Amino acid sequence: MTRQLHAYWQRQRDGRPAPLRSAIEPAHIAGLLGDVFILDASKAQSFPFRLAGTRLCAGIGRELTGESFLSLWRGADREAVRAALTGVTRDAAAVVLDLAGRTGRGSTLAMEMLLLPLSQDGRHLDRVLGLLAPLERPYWLGLHPIPRLEIAGLRWLPVEESQPLAARPLPAAARPAPREATPAVATQPAGRRRQHLVVLDGGRD
């Protein structure tokens, strides 16, 4: 599923660092929508959900729209996710996180999350397109909530060279909008990142 969404995102970029939000057509990714989400990256203190698929909300056990994405994580994992989101929105990077989802009953589920940049106005990387999917679907998924996510690994995906955001003319209806500055985090140049994280306990949209 993550490969399918990443391939679609690559096609919709059309030579830009990231696709316009308006270029993401639900009908084109209908089979993925239940696991797809969009974050508001202009609010970098919390990265709230603007949209969250029904399967995703059922798996976590609550409606996520409007909730802080960072609230799903604890301790060092939360800071690692914040740093990954900063890389996605600052460097137009694509990242996959290998996760362990834990239920209140002690069950563990291997999951995978994809994070990709989007642009609302063609000038700022102010949205994040994501997908959270289990690697298997046990009978209890959707019945027993997964309130806690832990990071098992992180992989930066290669992204083809692209023109700067402002290199192509904007659609007539697009208007630049101010965005909240994202915190500076030391990262390697896009395309060269390789790192692994150890699990620690601890408009239009």
Side-chain angles (χ1 to χ4, degrees), residues 120-138:
Q120 183 79 353
D121 61 7
R123 295 183 181 274
H124 305 96
L125 297 178
D126 51 8
R127 297 288 186 270
V128 174
L129 174 66
L131 183 145
L132 175 60
L135 299 186
E136 58 179 337
R137 293 192 180 272

Side-chain angles (χ1 to χ4, degrees), residues 12-72:
Q12 300 306 102
R13 288 173 62 221
D14 191 26
R16 294 175 178 269
L20 290 172
R21 166 64 183 88
S22 59
I24 305 302
E25 293 291 344
H28 295 167
I29 53 173
L32 306 177
L33 288 179
D35 301 300
V36 165
F37 58 89
I38 293 179
L39 307 179
D40 187 347
S42 69
K43 299 177 181 178
Q45 295 303 311
S46 61
F47 290 92
F49 287 92
R50 292 190 66 89
L51 291 173
T54 54
R55 283 195 300 265
L56 171 59
C57 292
I60 298 298
R62 62 186 183 276
E63 174 59 48
L64 294 171
T65 303
E67 183 174 327
S68 167
F69 179 72
L70 296 179
S71 70
L72 300 179

Side-chain angles (χ1 to χ4, degrees), residues 45 47 70 73-86 97 151 154 183 185 197 200:
Q45 295 303 311
F47 290 92
L70 296 179
W73 316 86
R74 297 182 184 179
D77 280 355
R78 178 178 295 186
E79 294 312 308
V81 168
R82 189 194 302 274
L85 286 168
T86 299
L97 291 88
I151 300 175
L154 183 152
V185 176
L197 303 180
L200 301 176

